[in-house]
Amino acid sequence: MITALRAIESHLERSFAKARKDISGRGALHTKVRIVDDVIFVKMRMDYSGLEKNLIRYILEQSEEANFYASVREQSRFAALKTLQELNAELNIKALEFSIDIENNYAFTTIVLTHELERLIKEGLVAEPCKAEAIPTP
């Protein structure tokens, strides 16, 4: 079970890092994913330029963080959902939240799912990452 869980987490690390690069034009230096029940935690170590840091600080100071995240939420949701439904067609996203630790160069994403992904993995109801077709839940 631990091997299967870690394999899915590794697959999500690669998929989410690629999606980040596709959306923003720059990828993460390192991506870590952890699945706990129906939540996926994503931590990306970024290499923010000085200009990016200044822009993000400005957005935070102006209390425009929600608007900034809203501007990328749909693209991020679409990319994450595509990856997740390749694992299991029944998976859907309830909530998707972002935060940035600009001083330490981290971006965090929390994805809350409609199903407990960890349980689905334990029960063998998740397709192997290399397979295109997902196994639906009963």
Side-chain angles (χ1 to χ4, degrees), residues 13-111:
E13 288 168 0
R14 290 185 303 276
S15 296
F16 293 162
K18 182 184 180 318
R20 170 73 182 228
K21 186 173 184 177
D22 291 346
I23 291 168
S24 71
R26 294 180 64 185
L29 298 175
H30 181 73
T31 303
K32 190 61 110 175
V33 169
R34 286 295 173 254
I35 299 167
V36 179
D37 299 327
D38 62 341
V39 180
I40 300 172
F41 298 96
V42 183
K43 177 182 177 184
M44 293 183 172
R45 174 95 166 130
M46 304 302 294
D47 184 19
Y48 294 115
S49 69
L51 179 59
E52 287 172 317
K53 286 182 177 187
N54 287 334
L55 286 170
I56 292 168
R57 283 188 193 107
Y58 177 78
I59 288 167
L60 297 174
E61 288 167 5
Q62 300 301 312
S63 300
E64 290 294 325
E65 190 174 3
N67 289 333
F68 171 70
Y69 292 141
S71 71
V72 295
R73 183 171 278 113
E74 280 313 305
Q75 282 182 299
S76 298
R77 178 185 290 272
F78 178 78
L81 189 58
K82 182 177 182 252
T83 297
L84 292 167
Q85 288 185 340
E86 288 172 354
L87 298 174
N88 182 298
E90 298 293 319
L91 287 173
N92 211 331
I93 297 173
K94 271 197 233 180
L96 182 83
E97 297 299 326
F98 304 105
S99 64
I100 296 174
D101 177 352
I102 196 65
E103 301 309 321
N104 294 302
N105 295 320
Y106 285 107
F108 301 96
T109 305
T110 304
I111 304 168

